[in-house]
Amino acid sequence: MPPAYRVSHLAALEAESIFVMREVVAELERPVLLFSGGKDSIVMLRLAEKAFAPARIPFPVMHVDTGHNFPEVIAFRDRRVAELGLHLLVASVPEAIESGLVVEPGDGMRNRIQTPVLLDAVEKYRFDALFGGARRDEEKARAKERMFSFRDEFGQWDPKNQRPELWGLYNGRHHAGESIRVFPLSNWTELDVWHYIQQERLDLPSIYYAHERQVISRDGMLYAVNQFIQPRGAEQPFIAKVRYRTVGDASCTAAVESAADTVEKVIDEVAATRITERGATRGDDRVSEAAMEDRKREGYF
């Protein structure tokens, strides 16, 4: 009797994500992949490579750039785009501030004002599908969203008005001006992402691994001292060995103490943690219990 055919957990996740990407290209006309140089978007780029090989990836990539970036991440973004010969679009928050589209927040955190900049870029380039790297284990508002997340002509999300996705059937129908946000990593966890990085031997920005950095302790989190984060009052900078679990806006993204300087050590560390990366390191999510959901309703990715 032949042995039973079995597919590994990671292979099943990969196959589902590739199917979703191919379905988007088949159903919609102008997709784009949101690529920040972070680990989730790096994995999505690898999945897109596999989905359409040996052809080139058939859509551009876009970064909604707050201007508050970690230099290592931007350098990685540009290098990876050049290696794959992709068309990179940059939706610039600093340019939007200069033009008057958005106003610089008083607290210096630009994550919230990314939304009008993103929606302006969607309208300008007439994108009807946007691939995002969100995962359901990241944050509770993410868990409410489907693989295909419909957005109205204003880019807004209504969690009570979502389309069924029975038997892996996805409905990409939309009117002019409407769009679909697509999350191929919806069923992945942070640990799955790291196992895939290990399996595919994917390169990452160096700040994902343990290194020494000057930090301050604020609200129970370790923020790097840089041009966007400076000590306040009695805060005293100190050197700590840290790594980043997520690499968003440098003005609101904290590090975690860690000695994990290899993929294998990071996997061991992530397997033992009980706090999501956003919960552990994103200051902007601590504004309120519904901070992420409020932003997503407005059009945030």
Side-chain angles (χ1 to χ4, degrees):
M1 185 174 178
Y5 177 69
R6 291 176 181 265
V7 176
S8 72
H9 172 66
L10 212 54
L13 289 173
E14 179 189 66
E16 178 186 51
S17 299
I18 286 174
F19 170 73
V20 167
M21 287 187 161
R22 289 172 175 167
E23 191 69 15
V24 168
V25 171
E27 283 194 49
L28 294 113
E29 295 181 2
R30 298 180 67 86
V32 66
L33 188 148
L34 298 174
F35 182 67
S36 64
K39 67 181 186 307
D40 298 318
S41 59
I42 290 167
V43 166
M44 280 208 304
L45 208 55
R46 178 59 175 152
L47 292 167
E49 281 187 88
K50 287 191 169 187
F52 304 104
R56 291 173 59 182
I57 295 172
F59 40 75
V61 298
M62 181 168 69
H63 182 204
V64 183
D65 181 5
T66 65
H68 289 177
N69 299 296
F70 294 99
E72 303 97 321
V73 179
I74 294 300
F76 180 93
R77 179 201 72 181
D78 293 343
R79 176 167 59 83
R80 191 73 183 114
V81 165
E83 288 171 353
L84 294 176
L86 300 174
H87 181 202
L88 172 66
L89 302 169
V90 177
S92 172
V93 172
E95 288 180 8
I97 293 172
E98 189 174 337
S99 71
L101 177 64
V102 293
V103 177
E104 179 83 69
D107 60 9
M109 294 186 188
R110 291 181 174 177
N111 261 13
R112 193 173 193 103
I113 61 173
Q114 286 183 88
T115 300
V117 180
L118 171 64
L119 297 180
D120 183 65
V122 171
E123 183 178 2
K124 176 181 177 181
Y125 296 108
R126 297 184 293 113
F127 292 131
D128 57 4
L130 289 80
F131 290 108
R135 305 186 324 271
R136 289 176 182 160
D137 72 325
E138 270 186 280
E139 203 274 345
K140 53 192 174 185
R142 301 284 202 198
K144 294 182 179 182
E145 207 151 24
R146 303 283 169 83
M147 194 79 77
F148 272 36
S149 178
F150 172 77
R151 303 300 172 99
D152 66 20
E153 64 270 28
F154 302 106
Q156 296 176 331
W157 172 61
D158 180 1
K160 296 180 180 179
N161 182 26
Q162 298 193 79
R163 297 169 177 178
E165 295 180 345
L166 303 175
W167 306 291
L169 298 175
Y170 302 108
N171 181 358
R173 291 182 181 179
H174 63 287
H175 296 295
E178 299 171 344
S179 62
I180 305 289
R181 304 288 172 84
V182 185
F183 303 110
L185 305 185
S186 274
N187 292 326
W188 298 52
T189 65
E190 184 184 8
L191 190 58
D192 293 328
V193 166
W194 277 102
H195 277 301
Y196 194 74
I197 289 166
Q198 181 187 45
Q199 173 186 288
E200 299 294 309
R201 299 181 180 180
L202 297 178
D203 194 16
L204 296 181
S206 58
I207 64 175
Y208 274 112
Y209 301 105
H211 59 286
E212 289 191 343
R213 192 174 285 250
Q214 188 180 48
V215 299
I216 55 172
S217 179
R218 179 179 297 170
D219 299 328
M221 296 188 287
L222 298 178
Y223 289 96
V225 177
N226 52 47
Q227 65 186 101
F228 316 115
I229 295 283
Q230 292 294 315
R232 302 173 186 162
E235 293 175 344
Q236 292 294 323
F238 59 96
I239 301 295
K241 195 164 190 180
V242 300
R243 73 175 190 86
Y244 284 84
R245 291 176 66 184
T246 181
V247 292
D249 192 313
S251 64
C252 62
T253 303
V256 294
E257 285 193 274
S258 174
D261 54 5
T262 65
V263 173
E264 292 76 18
K265 291 179 182 178
V266 171
I267 287 173
D268 290 342
E269 187 175 273
V270 171
T273 191
R274 292 296 176 265
I275 304 176
T276 67
E277 68 262 50
R278 291 195 70 96
T281 67
R282 296 300 288 270
D284 55 322
D285 285 345
R286 299 192 173 191
V287 175
S288 74
E289 282 290 317
M292 172 64 81
E293 183 163 333
D294 290 342
R295 292 202 300 275
K296 289 179 74 63
R297 286 175 182 269
E298 294 168 1
Y300 187 74
F301 49 83

